[in-house]
Amino acid sequence: MQDRVALVTGSSRGIGRAIALELAGAGIHVVVTYLERRQAALDVAAEVRSFGVRGLALRLDVSSRAAVRETFAAATAEFGNIDILVSNAGILEQKPFGTITDDDWDRTMAVNLRGAFICAQELLPGMQERGFGRIVNIASSGGQVGGTLAVHYAASKAGLIGLTKSLARLGAPNVLVNCVAPGLIESEMTEAEIASEAGREKIRTIPIGRAGLAQEVGRVVAFLVSDASSYVTGQTINVNGGLYLG
C-alpha cells in the first residue's frame, strides 16, 4: 500500500483519528479532515507524519457538495490522487422520538448519509478509471438493531449499510467498498453514554464485557483497505464485542 493516499472524513478525534493513525502505520499517506477542530486535525496530521508518510489537514463539510469538491481538489493538488476514502464523519443526537424535529432529521441525514454519498460519488469515477480504489463507510450497530433515543441516527447508519452494498456493485471489480459497524466504542462522542446507568447496563450485555477502543476499529479499516482484503466487498464488518451477532 506504499504511495497510496487515503482521505478520512471526521478524523480530528475519536474513531477517525484512530483510523488515520492505523493507515499511516501501514505506510499510507493520509488526508485528515475536520469541520471545526482545526488544531486537533493539525495535531493528527503531525502524528501521521511521525510514521514517515505524508499527512495533511484540510477542512471539510461533507454535507456540502461544493465544499467536498473544494477539499478534494486541494487534496489531489497536494497528493495527485485519492485512492482510499473512509467516510467516518458523523453526528449523534440522542433525544426522545417524539421530540425529533424535521431539522434534526435533515441535519443527521445530511452529515451521516448524504455526506458519504457525495464523497463516494465524487471519487468513485476516478478510482474506476485508475483501476484501484477502496471505500470504507463507518456505520454503527445502531443501524443494525435500532435505537430508541437516536432514531434518526440509527436510520442514517442503516442507510449507510445499504449505500455500501450498492457502491460495491457499482465499483466492482477494481473498487472494493465495505462497511464497518462499531458497537459501543470509547470516544468523546460516547463519554456521557458510557458513564450513565444505561451505558453500564449496555456494557453488561456485551459478551466481551467492555466498551471497545477506537484503535480496534482502525485495525479493521486498515485490513479492509489493504491487499489482504482483495476478495472482500459489499460486507459489513461488526466491531462490537458481540453486542450484535448479525
Side-chain angles (χ1 to χ4, degrees):
M1 301 302 289
Q2 288 186 341
D3 294 325
R4 296 295 186 189
V5 177
L7 185 145
V8 185
T9 69
S11 46
S12 64
R13 60 174 178 161
I15 290 175
R17 172 183 174 274
I19 292 170
L21 297 181
E22 289 292 334
L23 298 186
I28 298 169
H29 309 299
V30 182
V31 181
V32 177
T33 73
Y34 67 97
L35 183 59
E36 297 174 344
R37 299 167 180 261
R38 179 175 180 272
Q39 187 55 54
L42 290 171
D43 292 344
V44 175
E47 290 183 86
V48 164
R49 292 191 293 271
S50 73
F51 287 93
V53 297
R54 297 169 68 189
L56 176 68
L58 294 174
R59 188 178 187 277
L60 174 61
D61 178 0
V62 297
S63 68
S64 163
R65 188 175 293 272
V68 168
R69 287 178 172 171
E70 181 180 350
T71 300
F72 286 6
T76 54
E78 179 71 23
F79 290 98
N81 295 310
I82 299 172
D83 306 296
I84 298 163
L85 167 67
V86 182
S87 283
N88 167 76
I91 56 175
L92 168 62
E93 178 186 50
Q94 292 190 323
K95 60 194 309 186
F97 176 64
T99 66
I100 296 172
T101 66
D102 290 348
D103 286 343
D104 294 334
W105 179 275
D106 291 345
R107 183 173 61 254
T108 297
M109 292 296 168
V111 176
N112 294 2
L113 184 54
R114 191 176 74 205
F117 157 71
I118 291 172
C119 290
Q121 195 175 54
E122 292 295 321
L123 290 182
L124 182 59
M127 291 177 173
Q128 289 173 312
E129 287 176 12
R130 294 189 298 274
F132 177 90
R134 298 285 191 272
I135 297 175
V136 180
N137 295 318
I138 307 301
S140 166
S141 58
Q144 298 166 312
V145 302
T148 57
L149 280 178
V151 170
H152 44 340
Y153 173 83
S156 70
K157 294 300 187 177
L160 201 52
I161 293 171
L163 176 66
T164 297
K165 295 176 182 179
S166 297
L167 292 176
R169 293 185 180 277
L170 290 167
N174 296 318
V175 181
L176 307 183
V177 186
N178 290 289
C179 187
V180 174
L184 185 61
I185 305 296
E186 291 183 7
S187 70
E188 187 175 323
M189 184 182 287
T190 60
E191 247 177 3
E193 180 182 4
I194 290 174
S196 70
E197 180 53 40
R200 289 190 290 271
E201 178 58 33
K202 189 174 184 178
I203 289 173
R204 284 192 283 270
T205 70
I206 298 173
I208 287 184
R210 62 173 175 83
L213 303 177
Q215 55 263 42
E216 291 176 310
V217 179
R219 291 173 197 147
V220 174
V221 174
F223 162 72
L224 288 174
V225 306
S226 75
D227 291 337
S229 68
S230 57
Y231 201 56
V232 180
T233 196
Q235 304 304 306
T236 297
I237 309 299
N238 299 328
V239 186
N240 62 27
L243 175 66
Y244 170 71
L245 300 173

